[in-house]
Amino acid sequence: MHTTPSLLAELDALPALWEVQGTLTAPVPAVAALLLAVTEGRVGDDNLLVLARASAARQGAMTVVAGSGADVYRAELAGPVEPVEIQVDRPRSRVAVQSWYTGVHTITACPAGTRVTHRVHRVLPDHPGFTDGIAELGLRARMSRDLRQVLGVIADRLGC
């Protein structure tokens, strides 16, 4: 893994390998306020929501620290795991996360309210998270489950 201050620019140049999306009956600014909330501190429903259900976050072992630049962060985990790189693009309503896979959550307006799209652009094929039974079909199912959980938290917080 490498650190790059232009993670989103790098991902914009790559095709999406997989994509899942969901819709909320809430305004874009309200959804963006929750989904793009990333600051130094412990990962949870109010900070780096897209990773709040990760096993390390649930155990309280994932913390966000400032990175090298505006809206660039790292999520550090207890143990011998490399940090997760994060970049937030508030004007374009998106957040990128790079770990054993690299993906972007994007928020856009739609007729029903707000659409949240999660695209995976890169996967480390020899990483245990991919080779231990997840593979392509499993990754898509995991992405769908994770997005449903994120949208469920947002829906609950916004009452929609």
Side-chain angles (χ1 to χ4, degrees):
M1 178 171 25
H2 64 283
T3 303
T4 174
S6 60
L7 177 59
L8 280 162
E10 181 182 328
L11 297 176
D12 285 344
L14 296 175
L17 300 173
W18 302 285
E19 176 181 310
V20 294
Q21 54 185 250
T23 303
L24 293 162
T25 56
V28 169
V31 173
L34 296 173
L35 193 71
L36 303 179
V38 180
T39 187
E40 291 189 272
R42 185 161 286 168
V43 173
D45 287 352
D46 59 347
N47 188 26
L48 191 56
L49 174 59
V50 298
L51 292 183
R53 296 299 180 272
S55 136
R58 288 193 320 265
Q59 297 167 13
M62 187 184 296
T63 305
V64 176
V65 297
S68 58
D71 283 325
V72 175
Y73 304 90
R74 287 186 330 274
E76 295 186 342
L77 292 82
V81 180
E82 290 187 47
V84 175
E85 303 297 326
I86 301 132
Q87 184 177 9
V88 181
D89 180 351
R90 294 177 202 291
R92 295 179 64 195
S93 298
R94 48 193 202 144
V95 58
V97 175
Q98 176 175 273
S99 61
W100 63 270
Y101 76 91
T102 306
V104 179
H105 284 79
T106 304
I107 303 162
T108 54
C110 69
T114 300
R115 176 172 295 119
V116 177
T117 304
H118 181 204
R119 292 181 180 94
V120 169
H121 294 273
R122 198 170 33 224
V123 176
L124 298 177
D126 58 346
H127 188 280
F130 189 68
T131 57
D132 287 351
I134 292 178
E136 182 175 337
L137 186 58
L139 184 58
R140 184 182 300 272
R142 179 179 176 167
M143 287 173 59
S144 294
R145 180 203 67 208
D146 292 351
L147 183 60
R148 277 193 310 275
Q149 290 175 343
V150 166
L151 296 180
V153 170
I154 294 172
D156 185 57
R157 306 259 316 267
L158 297 179
C160 62

